[in-house]
Amino acid sequence: MPRFKLQSHFEPTGDQPQAIEKLTDGILTGVKNQVLLGVTGSGKTYTIANVIERVQKPALVISHNKTLAWQLYKEFKDFFPQNAVHYFVSYYDYYQPEAYIPQSNTYIEKDARINEKIDQMRHAATQDLLVRDDVIVVASVSCIYNIGSSEDYKNLSLDILLGQKISRKELLAHIVALGYARNEIDPKPGNFRAHGERIEVYPATGEKVIIIEISQDKIAKITEGKLDKTKSLHTKHIVPNTRLFPAHFWATPEHKQKIAIVNIRNELSDRLKFLRSRGKLLEAQRLEQKTNFDLEIIEETGFCHGIENYSRHFDFRRPGEAPYTLLDFFPYANKDFLTVIDESHMTIPQIRGMYFGDRSRKETLVEYGFRLPSALDNRPLTFAEFLKRIGRTIFVSATPAEYELKKSYAGSETSHIAQQLVRPTGLLDPSIEIRRTKNQMADLIKEIEKRVKKNQKVLVTTITKRLAEDIAEYLCERNIKAYYLHSEIHTLDRPKILHDLRSGTHDVVVGVNPLREGLDLPEVSLVVILDADKEGFLRNDTTLIQTMGRAARHVDGHAILYADIITDSMKRAIRETERRRKIQQKYNEAHAITPKSIEKPLEENYPEESIPQGRSKEKSGKEISHLDNTSLYYLEREMKKAAKAFDFEKAAALRDKIKLFDKTFNT
């Protein structure tokens, strides 16, 4: 049985040893909820890695932010190279959910662009949870969304053994039943091809190719190999057995599928009677046509677009019963798994709110005949359902909220809070300066130029995505290598942008919320917060502390807050930062520590096939610059959106950008 084995050049230091000891003791003695209160740069991830090694339990690490989740995934993968570390986030690069607006009689069809690489990583995570117990999955809140029955996913898997009696026809039938599509020309994950007695299967994980050779109705040889970036097979090795999992989630055995289709038709019949009895003839016709079309495709292929909306029937769940999620795969590895909720002050509210937003949208679809009532059960978990499915939990945050602090006291007279206020490098929280907003852009440029001369980097935070883009463009026009980062940037583009900041391709990144929690950017010495006095979610004390903390990994860490008044949130954030600085200074003096910047090597290991290559090229004046590093897909979508809204001037400008891209980079 594989064991978690931590590999690191570091030893626990500062506050880390006592935090590791306290958290480990809490887990081993049955404490349900604990808090790791650690400042930015104190090594919270390393502390959690040590705890995982000591307790030897599989772990689910949940982050509210895909960019941060990727960073955590890379860190845990480095700490545990011999164990299974996985990344599980939403596989949509772009997602417009199905919706209906009754006021304008507008139906919005589901529009999504699936990132195939992330889909493969999701399959890899679930499959390892079914066969290994040394698994760490770093996930976004996507982990509470419906992905189909874990039991069916496992039971449908096909064990293939050397010497097993099976004909070529039978084996191909099994492979097709698992959802694999035949592709003789250019097979991809989820495909297979067959040449005579040789069958090549490309599992959904994208990690390997399984080559099966049959002779006289027996498995004569099983070979597994890996594909390189050119799709050439290498590092082949013969194995005595292998296991083939379904090509899709929501996999259902054929006998269950037939029963499910009957149940869907019964529900459709009941719903049509209900709608017609209330004079909703249009809604009844709409529902009947859509549902019958879906059922015909399912009967022919076993799958259809939007099949998840019928998942309650395929999973044989009762109305209102919780859906199957990633959490249902963990008990196969270990029922007593560890849950780590990173940046819990942000992640907990996000988990709590997912159910309600989803429910409101689908109730409208059901009412107006676009979906059956069972579609309401294709949903995320409620917060109560989520809590039932997790075990021992560690809430990790530099600013834990009241909920986490209360949970750490539950059932005990003393709190189960481990603090990490001291950084191993001796770094202090950043110094803080408040400046008035008059001439702030000119002042900002001067501050940026000072840092650039020292080969240091800068983060600038705004309160809107549009403003982030405009400021980045403004800086580019003044020959500053700037770029923007916000939620509309594709999932796997975000780490690339931050990598380019660290490597020197950019000197400044302008953003909104993604530049808050957890980002590990040791080259950043200055954090600038614009509109710091605009009270609200983006400028409350928690947000300000987290944002300023991005400069805490540099010895010259400094934060400038542009504001005309000092709000209560600013006062609380500054007061807490100063309190921590005093504790850190006192510790450094007592142990004769001289602060030094964190040193972290640049990572080049990105799933390049899923990240559009950068198209940056420096230009001056009003020409395209570093700003336009997003994919053509994004620009084309924005152009169509602008045209649909009759904003033809914006659409024309985007069209010109696309033409310039094609002319500049495709010649």
Side-chain angles (χ1 to χ4, degrees):
M1 187 186 302
R3 289 179 57 82
F4 286 106
K5 185 172 178 58
L6 174 63
Q7 294 187 15
S8 174
H9 300 297
F10 309 108
E11 291 293 332
T13 185
D15 284 344
Q16 290 174 336
Q18 59 86 21
I20 294 167
E21 200 68 38
K22 186 168 185 176
L23 293 171
T24 301
D25 287 346
I27 293 169
L28 296 178
T29 56
V31 175
K32 173 75 173 172
N33 298 293
Q34 299 183 86
V35 172
L36 174 57
L37 193 164
V39 297
T40 299
S42 62
K44 297 189 290 293
T45 307
Y46 180 60
T47 295
I48 294 298
N50 273 274
V51 172
I52 291 172
E53 183 189 41
R54 292 194 182 193
V55 301
Q56 289 295 314
K57 295 181 185 296
L60 170 62
V61 181
I62 307 177
S63 170
H64 72 286
N65 180 303
K66 291 180 181 179
T67 308
L68 178 53
W70 176 265
Q71 179 179 294
L72 290 169
Y73 161 70
K74 292 297 300 174
E75 290 177 346
F76 279 114
K77 204 165 180 63
D78 289 341
F79 286 140
F80 296 101
Q82 297 176 12
N83 304 108
V85 180
H86 293 287
Y87 182 63
F88 190 99
V89 299
S90 169
Y91 54 20
Y92 295 117
D93 275 339
Y94 165 71
Y95 180 62
Q96 169 60 60
E98 182 183 28
Y100 179 67
I101 306 171
Q103 294 85 345
S104 58
N105 190 30
T106 303
Y107 173 68
I108 303 170
E109 190 175 3
K110 177 180 175 181
D111 182 17
R113 184 190 185 196
I114 291 177
N115 187 306
E116 292 181 0
K117 179 60 182 178
I118 294 181
D119 189 30
Q120 294 163 20
M121 297 173 86
R122 286 162 62 96
H123 277 281
T126 54
Q127 290 179 19
D128 267 355
L129 284 168
L130 295 176
V131 298
R132 300 180 63 160
D133 59 3
D134 62 326
V135 183
I136 299 171
V137 180
V138 181
S140 67
V141 292
S142 181
C143 68
I144 69 169
Y145 275 78
N146 182 18
I147 60 172
S149 168
S150 55
E151 184 179 357
D152 284 345
Y153 190 83
K154 181 180 182 182
N155 292 342
L156 269 174
S157 63
L158 178 64
D159 286 315
I160 302 171
L161 310 173
L162 195 63
Q164 178 181 345
K165 287 187 177 182
I166 188 169
S167 68
R168 178 181 184 273
K169 185 177 180 180
E170 289 172 328
L171 181 58
L172 289 176
H174 278 300
I175 292 170
V176 171
L178 289 177
Y180 288 85
R182 189 162 187 167
N183 187 335
E184 298 289 344
I185 307 300
D186 183 26
K188 299 175 181 177
N191 293 165
F192 75 94
R193 61 183 173 186
H195 299 289
E197 302 300 305
R198 175 189 169 105
I199 300 169
E200 295 179 10
V201 185
Y202 294 73
T205 62
E207 295 177 337
K208 62 183 178 181
V209 179
I210 300 172
I211 302 169
I212 306 160
E213 297 179 31
I214 298 177
S215 177
Q216 298 178 345
D217 289 345
K218 281 186 178 181
I219 304 295
K221 186 178 180 182
I222 305 170
T223 307
E224 291 186 353
K226 291 189 176 181
L227 291 173
D228 59 23
K229 292 177 183 177
T230 64
K231 295 187 178 180
S232 299
L233 194 62
H234 68 101
T235 59
K236 294 191 292 185
H237 58 279
I238 298 172
V239 295
N241 58 74
T242 190
R243 193 175 204 177
L244 192 59
F245 285 93
H248 309 285
F249 293 113
W250 296 288
T252 308
E254 188 176 356
H255 70 281
K256 292 179 71 174
Q257 185 182 99
K258 290 178 180 178
I259 299 171
I261 290 173
V262 171
N263 290 338
I264 293 170
R265 286 205 165 100
N266 289 338
E267 183 190 10
L268 174 62
S269 177
D270 292 342
R271 185 64 179 172
L272 292 177
K273 288 178 185 176
F274 174 85
L275 292 172
R276 287 166 181 159
S277 69
R278 283 160 176 74
K280 296 187 174 183
L281 301 182
L282 175 62
E283 287 84 350
Q285 181 190 16
R286 182 187 289 153
L287 182 64
E288 184 175 25
Q289 184 179 20
K290 186 177 186 64
T291 307
N292 284 330
F293 177 75
D294 286 346
L295 290 177
E296 286 176 18
I297 295 177
I298 293 171
E299 286 177 321
E300 288 295 323
T301 67
F303 194 79
C304 81
H305 183 65
I307 193 172
E308 62 273 14
N309 288 296
Y310 305 105
S311 60
R312 192 187 84 195
H313 293 291
F314 288 106
D315 296 340
F316 289 85
R317 290 184 279 126
R318 296 184 299 275
E321 188 176 346
Y324 296 109
T325 67
L326 176 68
L327 298 174
D328 294 293
F329 285 79
F330 266 90
Y332 289 93
N334 189 326
K335 291 182 179 179
D336 190 23
F337 66 94
L338 176 65
T339 302
V340 178
I341 302 181
D342 193 53
E343 305 297 353
S344 57
H345 64 283
M346 288 291 293
T347 308
I348 290 294
Q350 199 177 53
I351 293 172
R352 186 182 273 123
M354 288 293 139
Y355 170 81
F356 298 103
D358 183 84
R359 179 86 182 183
S360 174
R361 176 177 59 83
K362 284 183 179 163
E363 282 177 342
T364 304
L365 289 169
V366 170
E367 181 182 352
Y368 288 91
F370 289 95
R371 286 292 171 192
L372 290 170
S374 57
L376 294 171
D377 290 318
N378 169 43
R379 59 175 176 82
L381 297 173
T382 65
F383 191 58
E385 290 167 345
F386 168 74
L387 293 178
K388 285 181 182 177
R389 283 160 175 74
I390 61 174
R392 307 188 199 288
T393 304
I394 299 176
F395 301 100
V396 181
S397 176
T399 53
E402 185 179 356
Y403 171 82
E404 298 98 272
L405 296 175
K406 281 185 177 179
K407 294 289 278 187
S408 72
Y409 276 95
S412 174
E413 294 181 0
T414 59
S415 68
H416 297 284
I417 300 176
Q419 294 198 51
Q420 278 187 202
L421 300 182
V422 175
R423 299 179 177 88
T425 53
L427 287 170
L428 308 179
D429 274 30
S431 53
I432 302 172
E433 185 179 356
I434 300 173
R435 296 185 184 179
R436 292 197 172 275
T437 59
K438 186 177 181 180
N439 298 322
Q440 62 181 358
M441 293 311 298
D443 188 59
L444 170 61
I445 289 172
K446 288 180 183 178
E447 291 296 332
I448 291 171
E449 289 172 345
K450 289 179 188 176
R451 268 65 185 187
V452 171
K453 287 178 182 177
K454 298 178 183 178
N455 198 29
Q456 298 172 1
K457 307 301 176 186
V458 180
L459 296 181
V460 180
T461 64
T462 68
I463 55 176
T464 68
K465 288 182 275 192
R466 177 64 182 270
L467 190 56
E469 295 179 15
D470 289 346
I471 290 174
E473 188 168 17
Y474 177 83
L475 294 174
C476 286
E477 289 171 353
R478 281 146 187 81
N479 297 317
I480 293 173
K481 296 187 291 184
Y483 198 75
Y484 64 85
L485 177 67
H486 54 58
S487 59
E488 290 188 14
I489 300 295
H490 294 167
T491 302
L492 293 179
D493 283 346
R494 300 175 198 176
K496 179 70 166 59
I497 292 168
L498 297 175
H499 175 275
D500 287 348
L501 176 70
R502 296 192 60 205
S503 66
T505 303
H506 312 309
D507 289 323
V508 182
V509 168
V510 187
V512 192
N513 227 20
L515 299 183
R516 282 183 50 179
E517 289 82 3
L519 296 183
D520 192 353
L521 304 168
E523 294 80 10
V524 171
S525 66
L526 175 63
V527 168
V528 176
I529 302 177
L530 301 175
D531 297 308
D533 53 0
K534 298 293 189 291
E535 277 279 23
F537 171 69
L538 292 176
R539 294 295 180 263
N540 61 30
D541 53 331
T542 297
T543 302
L544 292 173
I545 291 171
Q546 291 283 356
T547 305
M548 292 187 294
R550 297 315 101 214
R553 288 175 167 85
H554 199 285
V555 71
D556 296 326
H558 186 61
I560 298 176
L561 281 61
Y562 285 100
D564 292 322
I565 60 172
I566 300 178
T567 64
D568 290 339
S569 292
M570 291 171 64
K571 290 176 184 176
R572 289 192 296 269
I574 293 169
R575 185 165 58 245
E576 175 61 16
T577 301
E578 290 299 327
R579 182 186 76 85
R580 294 178 181 183
R581 277 178 64 91
K582 288 177 182 177
I583 293 173
Q584 294 154 2
Q585 285 173 327
K586 187 176 180 180
Y587 182 89
N588 288 351
E589 291 169 3
H591 295 82
I593 295 174
T594 301
K596 61 178 180 179
S597 296
I598 291 174
E599 295 180 4
K600 183 182 179 183
L602 278 172
E603 293 286 348
E604 299 291 347
N605 186 20
Y606 294 99
E608 294 174 6
E609 65 272 23
S610 63
I611 301 178
Q613 292 301 307
R615 299 172 179 263
S616 63
K617 186 168 183 176
E618 292 185 50
K619 299 178 185 290
S620 59
K622 295 183 179 180
E623 291 184 300
I624 309 298
S625 63
H626 302 277
L627 178 64
D628 300 292
N629 201 22
T630 49
S631 67
L632 284 174
Y633 171 83
Y634 171 73
L635 289 175
E636 287 167 355
R637 179 167 62 83
E638 290 299 301
M639 179 183 68
K640 291 174 184 176
K641 190 189 296 183
K644 203 170 184 179
F646 302 106
D647 189 351
F648 298 115
E649 188 175 333
K650 181 180 178 182
L654 289 166
R655 178 202 61 198
D656 292 342
K657 285 185 180 183
I658 293 168
K659 285 183 177 179
L660 183 57
F661 270 0
D662 287 336
K663 182 178 178 181
T664 305
F665 299 103
N666 294 328
T667 56

